Amino acid sequence: MTTLEDIARVHTGWIIWRSDVGRWWATRRGPVDLDAIRMGCAMTLDADDPEALDAALAAQAELTAEFAADPAATA
């Protein structure tokens, strides 16, 4: 099982927490460019369980890397 600490250790650009109703959340530590948001980058994510949150954060890392490599690709 993935723990909150495991996720936070891998995804250092995010604040990770579990709500009192059991949802898993992550919010970026910094701003997101509007073009990146249009491409699918999120400021905040939620998931049913830690594994789903970890997967969503990994997908966001890929999107962020794609945007950083070629921001004009979204134009």
Side-chain angles (χ1 to χ4, degrees):
M1 174 176 223
T2 305
T3 68
L4 189 144
E5 291 80 14
D6 294 335
I7 298 169
R9 191 173 16 264
V10 172
H11 303 286
T12 58
W14 297 79
I15 299 168
I16 314 295
W17 75 97
R18 187 173 183 203
S19 72
D20 57 355
V21 295
R23 296 281 304 160
W24 289 76
W25 293 86
T27 297
R28 287 187 194 265
R29 293 185 181 273
V32 179
D33 182 276
L34 183 57
D35 289 330
I37 290 172
R38 288 182 180 133
M39 189 175 136
C41 294
M43 194 61 208
T44 301
L45 301 169
D46 72 313
D48 292 330
D49 56 54
E51 290 79 13
L53 183 62
D54 187 50
L57 288 166
Q60 286 291 303
E62 288 181 26
L63 278 174
T64 302
E66 287 174 24
F67 181 76
D70 187 8
T74 62

